[in-house]
């Protein structure tokens, strides 16, 4: 089998099974594991998969640029946003992450809601301008353009003064084995910082993020109160079997 044919097979297997195990494919094709690992490394460099220990997982579509993501899975994000909005109680303090799902959540909040919102997303803060009863605190810092959020030392330091009831967290991948992931190390660190400032953390995960993975782990499943998702697939069942609370959207 030619190298190009082998890589096409790997991509097809990834799409069909949701993962590729280098050892199994090498045995099936009668080639070395090193050859399969090289194939996966090249495919990952081209943005076609996410390498993990022993193989590869589907790459998250949420790694696309911000403007492109506004048109991905709009219905699913709106359904997730509706369920998440119900977690924002009158009089509570909530931390809203950045990203397009959280932007949909900000727009889904009742216009007469009285609450306090802390966010490191300028776009989320602007979306709340039409909510006169919501007091908005915007954390400053270096702007990470992919998710339109602030990160870095200044943002992390500003977050230390927060005590919130709930943190509504956005990620780019949710996988039963790879966990909760995102594509940037600094953004992952900022998400962990914000999670430590809230009593409960819920993950916003529209269906396209289930079964996908990115490079950097955000939090272990044991540190979250639940995952809000519109997905209904094997990944959701495996997460539930692990004891992860699932809020259906």
């Amino acid at each position: 089998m030619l190298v190009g044919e082998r890589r096409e097979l790997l991509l097809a297997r990834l799409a069909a099974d949701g993962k590729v195990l280098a050892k199994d494919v090498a045995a099936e094709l009668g080639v070395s594991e090193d050859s399969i690992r090289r194939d996966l490394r090249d495919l990952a460099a081209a943005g076609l998969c996410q390498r993990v220990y022993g193989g590869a997982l589907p790459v998250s579509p949420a790694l696309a640029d911000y403007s492109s993501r506004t048109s991905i899975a709009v219905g699913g994000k709106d359904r997730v946003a509706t369920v998440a909005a119900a977690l924002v109680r009158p009089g509570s303090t909530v931390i809203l992450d950045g990203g397009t799902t959280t932007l949909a959540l900000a727009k889904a909040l009742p216009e007469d809601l009285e609450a306090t919102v802390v966010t490191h997303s300028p776009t989320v803060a602007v979306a709340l301008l039409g909510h006169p009863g919501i007091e908005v605190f915007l954390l400053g810092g270096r702007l990470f353009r992919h998710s339109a959020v602030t990160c870095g030392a200044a943002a992390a330091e500003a977050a230390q003064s927060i005590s919130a009831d709930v943190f509504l967290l956005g990620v780019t991948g949710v996988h039963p084995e790879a966990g909760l992931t995102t594509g940037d190390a600094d953004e992952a660190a900022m998400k962990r910082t914000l999670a430590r400032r809230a009593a409960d953390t819920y993950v916003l995960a529209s269906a396209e993020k289930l079964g996908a993975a990115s490079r950097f782990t955000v939090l272990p499943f044991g540190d979250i109160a639940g995952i809000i998702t519109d997905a209904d697939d094997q990944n959701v069942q495996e997460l539930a079997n692990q004891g992860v609370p699932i809020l259906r959207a």
Side-chain angles (χ1 to χ4, degrees), residues 9-181:
L9 183 146
L10 289 170
L11 291 175
R13 189 67 54 82
L14 193 64
D17 299 342
K19 64 180 178 181
V20 166
L21 298 177
K23 180 179 179 180
D24 292 350
V25 176
E28 177 184 339
L29 300 181
V31 298
S32 69
E33 285 188 51
D34 284 343
S35 295
I36 300 300
R37 282 195 290 267
R38 282 195 298 271
D39 291 339
L40 294 176
R41 183 168 59 245
D42 290 343
L43 291 172
L48 298 175
C49 72
Q50 175 61 50
R51 292 181 68 207
V52 295
Y53 181 78
L57 296 172
V59 68
S60 172
L63 292 175
D65 63 87
Y66 190 89
S67 60
S68 298
R69 298 201 318 276
T70 60
S71 60
I72 295 175
V74 175
K77 292 174 183 177
D78 287 343
R79 288 188 289 274
V80 169
T82 298
V83 173
L87 298 174
V88 183
R89 306 296 185 186
S92 66
T93 297
V94 59
I95 303 172
L96 295 187
D97 203 353
T100 54
T101 307
T102 317
L103 182 59
L105 165 58
K107 296 176 180 178
L109 293 174
E111 290 186 3
D112 61 349
L113 176 68
E114 294 187 0
T116 299
V117 169
V118 180
T119 184
H120 62 142
S121 169
T123 56
V124 168
V126 169
L128 293 171
L129 288 176
H131 294 72
I134 296 180
E135 188 170 17
V136 180
F137 289 87
L138 179 61
L139 303 179
R142 179 182 63 84
L143 184 65
F144 178 54
R145 286 179 170 81
H146 175 267
S147 298
V149 294
T150 57
C151 294
E157 183 177 358
Q160 298 308 313
S161 62
I162 300 167
S163 292
D165 299 291
V166 65
F167 173 36
L168 297 170
L169 164 66
V171 295
T172 59
V174 179
H175 192 280
E177 297 175 20
L180 304 168
T181 56

Side-chain angles (χ1 to χ4, degrees), residues 182-190 192 216:
T182 195
D184 181 82
D186 286 344
E187 188 184 19
M190 187 65 191
R192 286 192 293 273
F216 299 99

Side-chain angles (χ1 to χ4, degrees), residues 75-77 79-80 205-208 210 228-232 247-249:
K77 292 174 183 177
R79 288 188 289 274
V80 169
S206 45
E208 81 281 3
L210 271 292
I228 307 170
T229 184
D230 63 321
D232 185 14
L247 283 70
R248 304 282 183 171

